[in-house]
């Protein structure tokens, strides 16, 4: 609206704003980027409870922004876009919605993100499992894990956050790790009342901290990971020292250099392995039965509840929707050898179509990135 655009609508397939912070509600869910940066530059929040705010606090902030900037009235919830077709003669897009309605638009901005379509692992017998099963991104809060035998498949970003939480409640957790990940310590002590008071009264304090975080994260540029790899691996190994059993600790050491996969942060993850009810399983999974998970060594692990921490379809981007551009070309075909876009925002053959969080823009604070991309659009 501030840019002078008044005729627009926001189409949202879920029931509310917040995107990944609306969908992902698993125990321990939080952001790896400090919240003073992982927030809008034009809407500074001075009372974040801790450096890395948990999911409910992030969602509440995004809901606050949508309400304050009068966007809720522009939103159509629970109505996803099925197809988008470009009409060269009219120079317009036609959008077909799940509700059956169609809309025409001069400009389409795609904000579908990357973390919205959960991946289900291709494991024999998965659908035969007779217990409770859910993906970590669609957490079943109606199901009580107290005293249960829980199987967790996947050991990356979401698992390192929720596993230390569910072991406090579950009877036993079988934690299936295909490959270990480097996990840095996460400085995340809650802000003291004195620190919060300084953020509230000194109007420069929060913006200055934001700039410090931004410069610290973005200073390296290309090749930065290689320059800091040795120091990062040393910090991860130091973090691992929390694991008391040396044999178990050795199984948690990755076989790839730090930075080859998404860097992870947690100061709670490694200490969870000192609990007797958390059992690391590194043998590959052969199949799933109605009541167990069988590994390639023939061991059968009885399971009441199966939690899939197997991530998202992160390479589809806008091709998750059936988009047809100039000359009848589907975006999935245009990207058959990999998604690409100019500055991650526009792609050849699809006029007046802008992407937020498009190809090759997954770095640093995504909210900051999205602000730059929205400004470009």
């Amino acid at each position: 609206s501030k840019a002078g655009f008044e005729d627009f609508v926001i189409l949202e397939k879920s029931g509310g704003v917040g995107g990944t912070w609306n969908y992902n509600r698993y125990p321990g869910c939080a952001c790896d980027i400090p919240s003073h940066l992982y927030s809008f530059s034009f809407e500074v929040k001075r009372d974040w409870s801790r450096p890395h705010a948990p999911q409910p606090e992030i969602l509440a902030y995004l809901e606050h922004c949508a309400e304050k900037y009068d966007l809720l009235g522009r939103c159509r919830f629970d109505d996803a876009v099925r197809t988008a077709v470009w009409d060269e003669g009219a120079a317009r897009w036609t959008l077909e919605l799940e509700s059956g309605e169609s809309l025409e638009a001069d400009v389409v901005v795609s904000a579908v993100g990357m973390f919205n379509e959960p991946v289900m692992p291709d494991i024999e017998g998965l659908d035969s499992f007779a217990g409770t099963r859910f993906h970590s991104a669609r957490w079943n809060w109606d199901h009580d894990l107290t005293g249960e035998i829980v199987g967790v498949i996947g050991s990356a970003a979401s698992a390192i956050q929720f596993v230390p939480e569910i072991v406090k409640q579950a009877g036993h957790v079988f934690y299936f790790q295909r490959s270990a990940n480097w996990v840095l310590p996460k400085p995340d002590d809650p802000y003291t009342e004195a620190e919060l008071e300084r953020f509230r009264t000194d109007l420069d304090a929060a913006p200055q901290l934001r700039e410090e975080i931004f410069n610290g994260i973005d200073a390296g540029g290309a090749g930065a990971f290689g320059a800091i790899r040795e120091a990062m691996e040393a910090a991860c190994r130091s973090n691992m020292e929390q694991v008391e059993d040396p044999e178990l600790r050795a199984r948690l050491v990755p076989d790839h250099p730090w930075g080859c996969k998404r860097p992870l942060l947690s100061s709670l993850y490694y200490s969870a392995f000192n609990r007797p009810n958390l059992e690391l399983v590194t043998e590959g999974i052969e199949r799933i039965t109605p009541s167990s998970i069988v590994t390639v060594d023939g061991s059968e692990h009885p399971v009441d509840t199966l939690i899939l921490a197997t991530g998202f379809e992160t390479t589809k981007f806008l091709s998750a929707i059936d988009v047809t551009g100039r000359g009848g070309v589907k975006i999935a075909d245009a990207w058959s050898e990999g998604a690409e876009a100019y500055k991650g925002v526009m792609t050849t053959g699809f006029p007046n179509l802008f992407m937020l969080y498009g190809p090759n823009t997954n770095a640093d604070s995504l909210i900051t990135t999205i602000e730059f991309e929205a400004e470009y659009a």
Side-chain angles (χ1 to χ4, degrees):
S1 294
K2 287 186 176 179
F5 299 104
E6 292 296 337
D7 186 8
F8 66 91
V9 62
I10 301 169
L11 304 169
E12 171 56 52
K13 71 177 181 180
S14 76
V17 299
T20 192
W21 301 106
N22 182 27
Y23 275 120
N24 288 267
R25 296 170 181 247
Y26 57 80
C29 184
C31 189
D32 285 348
I33 297 294
S35 296
H36 278 279
L37 177 59
Y38 194 81
S39 49
F40 294 114
S41 63
F42 55 83
E43 185 60 27
V44 175
K45 177 176 167 65
R46 303 179 187 280
D47 59 349
W48 291 109
S49 64
R50 58 199 309 143
H52 301 265
Q55 174 269 332
E57 195 172 351
I58 298 172
L59 179 58
Y61 168 77
L62 295 172
E63 290 172 337
H64 156 78
C65 292
E67 185 172 349
K68 177 176 178 178
Y69 293 94
D70 197 28
L71 294 176
L72 294 178
R74 304 279 192 174
C75 293
R76 289 183 50 166
F77 296 115
D78 296 313
D79 201 1
V81 177
R82 290 175 53 242
T83 66
V85 179
W86 172 253
D87 183 327
E88 185 72 21
R92 302 198 86 188
W93 286 95
T94 299
L95 307 178
E96 298 287 344
L97 311 182
E98 290 281 2
S99 62
E101 187 178 344
S102 66
L103 296 176
E104 289 193 346
D106 298 310
V107 174
V108 172
V109 178
S110 165
V112 299
M114 280 171 60
F115 302 114
N116 52 60
E117 190 173 333
V119 167
M120 296 300 169
D122 183 16
I123 300 174
E124 179 187 339
L126 178 63
D127 290 337
S128 74
F129 184 69
T132 301
R133 186 191 87 185
F134 54 87
H135 194 282
S136 58
R138 304 292 184 268
W139 196 269
N140 184 353
W141 282 99
D142 293 330
H143 183 68
D144 186 2
L145 297 177
T146 302
E148 287 207 327
I149 302 175
V150 180
V152 175
I153 298 177
S155 58
S158 56
I160 70 160
Q161 292 186 334
F162 76 72
V163 166
E165 299 301 320
I166 66 171
V167 293
K168 300 173 186 176
Q169 184 182 11
H172 194 85
V173 176
F174 289 114
Y175 183 44
F176 295 87
Q177 172 189 277
R178 184 170 60 179
S179 57
N181 286 284
W182 294 105
V183 181
L184 288 163
K186 186 176 186 178
D188 197 32
D189 290 336
Y191 288 119
T192 65
E193 188 51 46
E195 288 172 317
L196 290 171
E197 182 63 19
R198 183 172 67 86
F199 287 133
R200 285 190 288 260
T201 56
D202 181 354
L203 298 186
D204 292 329
Q208 285 174 355
L209 177 57
R210 178 188 179 92
E211 187 162 350
E212 288 173 15
I213 299 167
F214 178 85
N215 289 336
I217 290 174
D218 285 1
F225 272 19
I228 62 175
R229 177 167 293 131
E230 188 174 340
M232 293 297 99
E233 288 191 10
C236 291
R237 289 181 185 277
S238 177
N239 199 21
M240 272 180 222
E241 290 297 317
Q242 295 178 69
V243 182
E244 295 166 359
D245 181 343
E247 185 276 332
L248 176 57
R249 193 187 316 136
R251 294 162 63 204
L252 290 165
V253 177
D255 61 3
H256 59 271
W258 181 88
C260 290
K261 295 184 181 181
R262 173 180 171 175
L264 306 177
L265 295 92
S266 173
S267 296
L268 305 174
Y269 177 64
Y270 289 121
S271 62
F273 288 96
N274 297 326
R275 300 180 68 107
N277 66 328
L278 178 57
E279 182 175 341
L280 180 67
V281 182
T282 53
E283 292 79 13
I285 297 173
E286 181 181 278
R287 69 183 190 279
I288 295 175
T289 77
S291 60
S292 67
I293 299 175
V294 181
T295 48
V296 292
D297 62 353
S299 299
E300 187 166 2
H301 307 270
V303 171
D304 299 315
T305 294
L306 179 56
I307 303 175
L308 306 173
T310 45
F312 301 87
E313 295 280 5
T314 56
T315 58
K316 286 188 175 181
F317 300 97
L318 181 54
S319 66
I321 296 173
D322 184 5
V323 178
T324 305
R326 182 172 281 155
V329 175
K330 303 273 189 182
I331 200 166
D333 294 330
W335 284 351
S336 61
E337 296 184 7
E340 57 182 28
Y342 178 68
K343 296 188 182 295
V345 179
M346 303 187 75
T347 196
T348 303
F350 298 84
N352 296 356
L353 176 64
F354 300 92
M355 288 169 274
L356 309 183
Y357 196 7
N360 294 318
T361 62
N362 183 25
D364 309 320
S365 171
L366 296 181
I367 291 186
T368 303
T369 299
I370 287 167
E371 279 197 54
F372 292 147
E373 292 170 337
E375 182 179 354
Y376 182 87

